[in-house]
Amino acid sequence: MSYKQIKWMILFIPTITVALWEYVRHQFLLPYISMDLGNWLTPVFVYIVSITLLTKLFQMLEKMQRELESARTDKAALEAKEQLARELHDGIAQSLFLLSVKAEKLEKDSANDPEQHNENILSICKTIHEVNRYVRQAIANLRQNPEGHPLAESRKSTLQHQILSMVRDIRTPIIVEWCLKDDHIENKEKVELLACVREALINMDKHAAASSGHIQADGLSHSWKIAITDNGKGFEGDPFAKKNKFGLRIMKERCSEMGWVMNMYRDNKQTVVEIRKGGAA
């Protein structure tokens, strides 16, 4: 019996029961059963039919719901595995292959061209950093509920909750003022934005030697700004021009691909990493 048939039977059985009882009562039982007694017997018969027939139908309906829930859960798990496999192939596997090619080239050029040798070393370091970023991103995606899960919408963390979760893993005390609503940001923007904020927090924790930090986000869908501030030791010159700052370069590349503007500067003895979309937020 199909799901639709069960629903229609649940709707029509009480109605048909009452109709049959009223027909039999008025046609054949009026000499034996009074009107008052017949009126009292009507809900009794409906209750008996509901207990016997409708209960079984409801059990069948609940069983179908459980099977559907299980199928959706299995599908969500399969989609999560496929997503992880795609990320491993597109990001980590390809980067490791590129790394092996660069290592072979490094071995060949080590004696012939010292300058090219140094550039190859920097290129390998950048590739290693990218692989590390891919791994962190894949782990972060696995920690989230898959989109296909039936409870994903109710359990899915907001951007603010995910930022707060990152902050808890950082040794530096950080104050978060998040006034940017999730519905103002597209799903792809959320992924890229979380990756950039994660990189900024890791840099703060590893290199800034800061005693406090601050994250502020506000704006609308077409125009928003996020500022990550710390009171650490800061930097000199252009941080994006330094050869060993691969994380910052990748952040800037991510922002450029999304059409955002990323700046990093010192303000009142504080380091500010600013990501901005559109005009002034």
Side-chain angles (χ1 to χ4, degrees), residues 16-56:
I16 295 173
T17 301
V18 173
L20 288 174
W21 163 247
E22 291 296 328
Y23 175 78
V24 171
R25 182 164 71 99
H26 286 84
Q27 292 295 325
F28 307 106
L29 300 179
L30 277 180
Y32 311 102
I33 299 176
S34 65
M35 291 293 292
D36 291 337
L37 180 59
N39 292 336
W40 280 104
L41 288 175
T42 299
V44 173
F45 284 133
V46 173
Y47 176 75
I48 293 173
V49 171
S50 300
I51 289 295
T52 55
L53 294 179
L54 296 188
T55 301
K56 293 182 179 179

Side-chain angles (χ1 to χ4, degrees), residues 1-9 57 60-61 64:
M1 191 177 299
S2 67
Y3 185 84
K4 188 175 182 179
Q5 289 174 333
I6 293 175
K7 289 198 300 183
W8 281 112
M9 288 185 67
L57 291 175
M60 294 172 62
L61 200 63
M64 288 183 176

